[in-house]
Amino acid sequence: MLKRQNPSTPEHSKDLAADGGALSMSHNDSRPFFNLSQLVLSAGQSKPSPALKHSKITYFEVEIVDMQSKKQICIVDKVPPASTLLDVKHKFHKACPQWYPSRVGLQLELNGPFLKDSISIQSLAVSSIITLYFTDLGQQVGWTTFFLTEYTGPLLIYLLFYIRLSTIYDQVESRKNFRHPVVHLACFCHCLHYIRHLLETLFVHKFSEGHTPLKNMIKGCAFYWGFTSWIAYYINHPRYTPP
């Protein structure tokens, strides 16, 4: 008769132990791979890819209205929100070439202050259409040109009187009369004063990109040049005597 094998025999125990050991070893071998995959998945979940935001850019339309007649001059369209008033002036200049940016004065309200070129269009917008009032500031000159012209004139004018041109003084009288040393000292101080101003204008002072009307330069030159001619005529006169 065949004897039923007892599962609790040593051979069977050894077989089960071997099978269990093999399973445990395979389980232990797969555990690092499982931990690594979990780590990769968790890292991917901790930094989700940002969703693409489709932001719609809103453009503005700037209506330019004449201050005097209250009539529309033109409309500057497709102005981005990040644009400045200077950008609007350049586009306005393309539509109306006779008015270059430095000549254009824009106001948000009637009789209001002129807006600065650096101001943002978005800060002025109440709706998608912005109305600005235009004023012609007249012909403009830069500040550097303004001061160079104003200071160069007195320097040259004084030297013309100092050398005693025949068209200003009598040549015979100029040769006879002796020049007092104070006349030479006055010429030196006058020239040094305006040369210093010219050098400061070129190398020291920093001017913005702002401009000033041409009529202001004419007024300043008339004062400086006229006053220089008046004092230079008497100081360099052949009959001049120091006090």
Coordinates of all heavy atoms in Angstrom, one line a residue, residues 106-161:
L106 N -0.3 117.3 -25.4 CA -1.6 116.6 -25.2 C -2.1 116.7 -23.8 O -1.3 116.7 -22.8 CB -1.3 115.1 -25.5 CG -0.9 114.7 -26.9 CD1 -0.6 113.3 -27.1 CD2 -2.0 115.2 -27.9
Q107 N -3.4 116.9 -23.7 CA -4.0 117.1 -22.4 C -5.2 116.1 -22.3 O -5.9 115.8 -23.3 CB -4.6 118.6 -22.3 CG -3.4 119.6 -22.3 CD -4.0 121.0 -22.6 OE1 -4.2 121.3 -23.8 NE2 -4.2 121.8 -21.6
L108 N -5.4 115.7 -21.1 CA -6.5 114.8 -20.8 C -7.9 115.5 -20.7 O -8.9 115.0 -21.0 CB -6.3 113.9 -19.6 CG -7.2 112.8 -19.3 CD1 -7.2 111.7 -20.5 CD2 -6.9 112.1 -18.0
E109 N -7.8 116.7 -20.2 CA -9.0 117.5 -20.0 C -8.8 118.9 -20.7 O -7.6 119.4 -20.8 CB -9.3 117.7 -18.5 CG -9.6 116.4 -17.8 CD -9.8 116.6 -16.3 OE1 -9.6 117.7 -15.9 OE2 -10.1 115.6 -15.6
L110 N -9.8 119.6 -20.9 CA -9.8 121.0 -21.5 C -9.1 121.9 -20.4 O -9.5 121.8 -19.2 CB -11.1 121.5 -21.9 CG -11.8 120.8 -23.1 CD1 -13.2 121.3 -23.2 CD2 -11.0 121.1 -24.3
N111 N -8.2 122.7 -20.8 CA -7.4 123.6 -19.9 C -6.7 122.9 -18.8 O -6.4 123.5 -17.8 CB -8.4 124.6 -19.3 CG -9.1 125.5 -20.4 OD1 -8.5 125.8 -21.4 ND2 -10.3 125.8 -20.2
G112 N -6.5 121.6 -19.0 CA -5.7 120.8 -18.0 C -4.2 120.9 -18.3 O -3.8 121.5 -19.3
P113 N -3.4 120.3 -17.4 CA -1.9 120.3 -17.6 C -1.5 119.4 -18.7 O -2.2 118.4 -19.0 CB -1.4 119.8 -16.2 CG -2.5 118.9 -15.7 CD -3.8 119.6 -16.2
F114 N -0.4 119.7 -19.3 CA 0.1 118.9 -20.4 C 0.7 117.6 -19.8 O 1.4 117.6 -18.8 CB 1.2 119.6 -21.2 CG 0.7 120.7 -22.0 CD1 1.0 122.1 -21.7 CD2 0.0 120.5 -23.2 CE1 0.5 123.1 -22.5 CE2 -0.5 121.5 -23.9 CZ -0.2 122.8 -23.6
L115 N 0.4 116.5 -20.4 CA 0.8 115.2 -19.9 C 2.3 114.9 -20.3 O 2.7 115.3 -21.3 CB -0.1 114.1 -20.6 CG -1.6 114.2 -20.3 CD1 -2.3 113.1 -21.1 CD2 -1.9 114.0 -18.8
K116 N 3.0 114.3 -19.4 CA 4.4 113.9 -19.6 C 4.5 112.8 -20.6 O 3.6 111.9 -20.7 CB 5.0 113.6 -18.3 CG 5.1 114.7 -17.3 CD 5.8 114.3 -16.0 CE 5.9 115.5 -15.0 NZ 6.6 115.1 -13.8
D117 N 5.6 112.8 -21.3 CA 5.8 111.7 -22.3 C 6.0 110.3 -21.7 O 5.7 109.3 -22.3 CB 7.1 112.0 -23.1 CG 6.9 113.2 -24.0 OD1 5.7 113.6 -24.2 OD2 7.9 113.8 -24.5
S118 N 6.4 110.3 -20.4 CA 6.6 109.0 -19.8 C 5.4 108.3 -19.2 O 5.5 107.2 -18.7 CB 7.7 109.1 -18.7 OG 7.2 110.1 -17.7
I119 N 4.3 109.0 -19.2 CA 3.1 108.5 -18.6 C 2.5 107.3 -19.4 O 2.6 107.3 -20.6 CB 2.0 109.6 -18.4 CG1 0.9 109.1 -17.5 CG2 1.4 110.0 -19.8 CD1 -0.1 110.2 -17.1
S120 N 2.0 106.3 -18.7 CA 1.5 105.1 -19.4 C 0.1 105.4 -19.9 O -0.7 106.0 -19.2 CB 1.5 103.9 -18.4 OG 0.9 102.8 -19.0
I121 N -0.2 104.8 -21.1 CA -1.6 104.9 -21.7 C -2.6 104.2 -20.8 O -3.7 104.6 -20.7 CB -1.5 104.4 -23.1 CG1 -0.7 105.4 -24.0 CG2 -3.0 104.3 -23.7 CD1 -1.3 106.8 -24.1
Q122 N -2.2 103.1 -20.2 CA -3.1 102.3 -19.5 C -3.6 103.1 -18.2 O -4.7 102.9 -17.8 CB -2.5 101.0 -19.0 CG -3.4 99.9 -18.5 CD -2.8 98.6 -18.3 OE1 -1.5 98.5 -18.4 NE2 -3.6 97.6 -18.0
S123 N -2.8 103.9 -17.7 CA -3.2 104.7 -16.5 C -4.2 105.8 -16.9 O -4.8 106.3 -16.0 CB -1.9 105.3 -15.9 OG -1.3 106.3 -16.8
L124 N -4.3 106.1 -18.1 CA -5.2 107.2 -18.6 C -6.6 106.6 -19.0 O -7.5 107.3 -19.1 CB -4.6 108.0 -19.7 CG -3.3 108.7 -19.5 CD1 -2.8 109.3 -20.8 CD2 -3.4 109.7 -18.4
A125 N -6.6 105.3 -19.2 CA -7.7 104.6 -19.8 C -8.9 104.4 -18.8 O -8.7 103.9 -17.7 CB -7.4 103.3 -20.5
V126 N -10.1 104.9 -19.2 CA -11.3 104.6 -18.5 C -12.1 103.6 -19.3 O -12.8 102.7 -18.8 CB -12.1 105.9 -18.3 CG1 -13.4 105.5 -17.5 CG2 -11.3 106.9 -17.5
S127 N -11.9 103.6 -20.6 CA -12.5 102.7 -21.5 C -11.5 102.4 -22.6 O -10.3 102.8 -22.5 CB -13.8 103.2 -22.1 OG -13.6 104.4 -22.9
S128 N -11.9 101.6 -23.6 CA -11.0 101.3 -24.7 C -10.7 102.5 -25.6 O -9.8 102.4 -26.4 CB -11.6 100.2 -25.5 OG -12.8 100.5 -26.1
I129 N -11.5 103.6 -25.5 CA -11.2 104.8 -26.3 C -10.8 105.9 -25.4 O -11.5 106.2 -24.4 CB -12.5 105.2 -27.1 CG1 -12.9 104.1 -28.0 CG2 -12.3 106.5 -27.9 CD1 -14.2 104.3 -28.8
I130 N -9.6 106.5 -25.7 CA -9.1 107.6 -24.9 C -9.1 108.9 -25.7 O -8.6 108.9 -26.9 CB -7.7 107.3 -24.4 CG1 -7.6 106.0 -23.7 CG2 -7.1 108.4 -23.5 CD1 -6.2 105.5 -23.3
T131 N -9.7 109.9 -25.2 CA -9.7 111.2 -25.9 C -8.7 112.2 -25.3 O -8.7 112.4 -24.1 CB -11.1 111.8 -25.8 OG1 -12.1 110.9 -26.3 CG2 -11.2 113.2 -26.5
L132 N -7.8 112.7 -26.2 CA -6.7 113.6 -25.8 C -6.9 114.9 -26.6 O -7.2 114.8 -27.8 CB -5.3 113.0 -25.9 CG -5.0 111.7 -25.1 CD1 -3.6 111.2 -25.4 CD2 -5.1 112.0 -23.6
Y133 N -6.6 116.0 -25.9 CA -6.7 117.3 -26.6 C -5.4 117.8 -27.0 O -4.4 117.8 -26.2 CB -7.4 118.3 -25.7 CG -8.8 117.9 -25.3 CD1 -9.1 117.2 -24.2 CD2 -9.9 118.2 -26.2 CE1 -10.4 116.8 -23.8 CE2 -11.2 117.9 -25.9 CZ -11.4 117.1 -24.7 OH -12.7 116.8 -24.4
F134 N -5.3 118.2 -28.3 CA -4.0 118.5 -28.9 C -3.8 120.1 -28.9 O -4.7 120.8 -29.2 CB -3.9 118.0 -30.3 CG -2.9 118.7 -31.2 CD1 -1.6 118.4 -31.0 CD2 -3.3 119.6 -32.1 CE1 -0.6 119.0 -31.8 CE2 -2.3 120.2 -32.9 CZ -1.0 119.9 -32.8
T135 N -2.6 120.5 -28.6 CA -2.2 121.9 -28.7 C -0.8 122.0 -29.4 O 0.1 121.2 -29.0 CB -2.0 122.5 -27.3 OG1 -3.3 122.4 -26.6 CG2 -1.6 124.0 -27.4
D136 N -0.7 122.8 -30.4 CA 0.5 123.0 -31.1 C 1.4 123.9 -30.2 O 1.1 125.1 -30.0 CB 0.3 123.6 -32.4 CG 1.5 123.8 -33.3 OD1 2.6 123.2 -32.8 OD2 1.5 124.4 -34.3
L137 N 2.6 123.4 -29.8 CA 3.5 124.1 -28.9 C 4.4 125.0 -29.7 O 5.2 125.7 -29.1 CB 4.3 123.1 -28.0 CG 3.5 122.2 -27.1 CD1 4.4 121.3 -26.3 CD2 2.7 123.0 -26.1
G138 N 4.4 124.9 -31.0 CA 5.3 125.8 -31.8 C 6.6 125.1 -32.0 O 6.9 124.0 -31.5
Q139 N 7.5 125.7 -32.8 CA 8.8 125.2 -33.1 C 9.6 125.0 -31.8 O 9.7 126.0 -31.0 CB 9.5 126.0 -34.1 CG 10.7 125.4 -34.7 CD 11.3 126.2 -35.8 OE1 10.8 127.2 -36.2 NE2 12.5 125.8 -36.4
Q140 N 10.2 123.9 -31.6 CA 10.9 123.6 -30.4 C 12.4 123.4 -30.7 O 12.9 123.1 -31.8 CB 10.4 122.3 -29.8 CG 8.9 122.2 -29.6 CD 8.5 123.0 -28.4 OE1 9.0 122.8 -27.3 NE2 7.6 124.0 -28.6
V141 N 13.2 123.7 -29.6 CA 14.7 123.5 -29.7 C 15.1 122.7 -28.4 O 14.4 122.8 -27.4 CB 15.5 124.8 -29.8 CG1 15.2 125.5 -31.1 CG2 15.1 125.7 -28.6
G142 N 16.1 122.0 -28.5 CA 16.6 121.3 -27.3 C 17.3 122.2 -26.3 O 17.8 123.3 -26.6
W143 N 17.3 121.7 -25.0 CA 17.9 122.6 -24.0 C 19.4 122.8 -24.2 O 19.9 123.9 -23.9 CB 17.7 121.9 -22.6 CG 16.3 122.1 -22.1 CD1 15.3 121.2 -22.0 CD2 15.7 123.3 -21.7 NE1 14.1 121.7 -21.5 CE2 14.3 123.0 -21.3 CE3 16.1 124.6 -21.6 CZ2 13.4 124.0 -20.9 CZ3 15.2 125.6 -21.1 CH2 13.9 125.3 -20.7
T144 N 20.1 121.8 -24.7 CA 21.5 122.0 -24.9 C 21.8 123.1 -26.0 O 22.7 123.9 -25.8 CB 22.2 120.7 -25.4 OG1 21.9 119.7 -24.4 CG2 23.7 120.8 -25.6
T145 N 21.0 123.0 -27.1 CA 21.1 124.1 -28.1 C 20.7 125.4 -27.5 O 21.4 126.4 -27.9 CB 20.2 123.7 -29.3 OG1 20.5 122.4 -29.7 CG2 20.3 124.7 -30.4
F146 N 19.8 125.4 -26.7 CA 19.3 126.7 -26.0 C 20.5 127.4 -25.3 O 20.8 128.5 -25.5 CB 18.1 126.4 -25.1 CG 17.6 127.6 -24.3 CD1 16.6 128.3 -24.8 CD2 18.1 127.9 -23.1 CE1 16.1 129.4 -24.1 CE2 17.7 129.0 -22.4 CZ 16.6 129.8 -22.9
F147 N 21.1 126.6 -24.4 CA 22.2 127.2 -23.6 C 23.5 127.5 -24.3 O 24.1 128.5 -24.1 CB 22.5 126.3 -22.3 CG 21.4 126.3 -21.3 CD1 20.6 125.2 -21.1 CD2 21.1 127.5 -20.6 CE1 19.6 125.2 -20.2 CE2 20.1 127.5 -19.6 CZ 19.3 126.4 -19.4
L148 N 23.8 126.6 -25.3 CA 25.0 126.9 -26.1 C 24.9 128.2 -26.9 O 25.8 129.0 -27.0 CB 25.3 125.7 -27.0 CG 25.8 124.4 -26.4 CD1 26.0 123.3 -27.4 CD2 27.1 124.7 -25.6
T149 N 23.7 128.4 -27.5 CA 23.4 129.6 -28.2 C 23.4 130.8 -27.3 O 24.0 131.9 -27.7 CB 22.1 129.5 -29.0 OG1 22.1 128.3 -29.8 CG2 21.9 130.7 -29.9
E150 N 22.8 130.7 -26.2 CA 22.7 131.8 -25.3 C 24.1 132.2 -24.7 O 24.3 133.4 -24.5 CB 21.8 131.4 -24.1 CG 21.3 132.5 -23.3 CD 20.3 132.0 -22.3 OE1 20.6 131.2 -21.4 OE2 19.1 132.5 -22.3
Y151 N 25.0 131.3 -24.5 CA 26.3 131.6 -23.9 C 27.4 131.9 -24.9 O 28.3 132.6 -24.6 CB 26.8 130.5 -23.0 CG 25.9 130.2 -21.8 CD1 25.7 129.0 -21.3 CD2 25.2 131.3 -21.2 CE1 24.8 128.7 -20.2 CE2 24.4 131.1 -20.1 CZ 24.2 129.8 -19.6 OH 23.4 129.6 -18.5
T152 N 27.2 131.4 -26.1 CA 28.3 131.6 -27.1 C 28.2 133.1 -27.6 O 29.2 133.7 -27.9 CB 28.1 130.7 -28.3 OG1 28.1 129.3 -27.9 CG2 29.2 130.9 -29.4
G153 N 27.0 133.6 -27.7 CA 26.8 135.0 -28.2 C 27.6 136.0 -27.4 O 28.4 136.8 -28.0
P154 N 27.4 136.1 -26.1 CA 28.1 137.1 -25.3 C 29.6 137.0 -25.4 O 30.4 138.0 -25.3 CB 27.6 136.8 -23.8 CG 26.3 136.2 -24.0 CD 26.4 135.4 -25.3
L155 N 30.1 135.7 -25.5 CA 31.6 135.5 -25.6 C 32.1 136.2 -26.9 O 33.1 136.9 -26.8 CB 31.9 134.0 -25.6 CG 33.3 133.6 -25.7 CD1 34.1 134.2 -24.5 CD2 33.5 132.1 -25.8
L156 N 31.5 135.9 -28.0 CA 32.0 136.5 -29.3 C 31.7 138.0 -29.4 O 32.6 138.7 -29.9 CB 31.3 135.7 -30.4 CG 31.5 134.2 -30.5 CD1 30.8 133.6 -31.7 CD2 33.0 134.0 -30.6
I157 N 30.6 138.4 -28.9 CA 30.2 139.9 -29.0 C 31.2 140.7 -28.2 O 31.7 141.8 -28.7 CB 28.8 140.1 -28.5 CG1 27.8 139.5 -29.5 CG2 28.5 141.6 -28.3 CD1 26.4 139.5 -29.0
Y158 N 31.6 140.3 -27.0 CA 32.5 141.0 -26.2 C 33.9 141.1 -26.9 O 34.5 142.2 -26.8 CB 32.6 140.4 -24.8 CG 33.3 141.3 -23.8 CD1 32.5 142.1 -22.9 CD2 34.7 141.4 -23.7 CE1 33.1 142.9 -22.0 CE2 35.3 142.3 -22.8 CZ 34.4 143.0 -21.9 OH 35.0 143.9 -21.0
L159 N 34.3 140.0 -27.5 CA 35.6 140.0 -28.2 C 35.6 141.0 -29.4 O 36.6 141.6 -29.7 CB 36.0 138.6 -28.6 CG 36.3 137.6 -27.5 CD1 36.6 136.3 -28.1 CD2 37.5 138.1 -26.7
L160 N 34.5 141.2 -30.0 CA 34.4 142.1 -31.2 C 34.6 143.5 -30.7 O 35.2 144.4 -31.3 CB 33.0 141.9 -31.9 CG 32.8 140.6 -32.6 CD1 31.4 140.6 -33.2 CD2 33.8 140.5 -33.7
F161 N 34.0 143.9 -29.5 CA 34.2 145.2 -29.0 C 35.6 145.4 -28.4 O 36.2 146.5 -28.4 CB 33.2 145.5 -27.9 CG 31.8 145.8 -28.4 CD1 30.9 144.8 -28.5 CD2 31.5 147.1 -28.7 CE1 29.6 145.1 -29.0 CE2 30.2 147.4 -29.2 CZ 29.3 146.4 -29.3

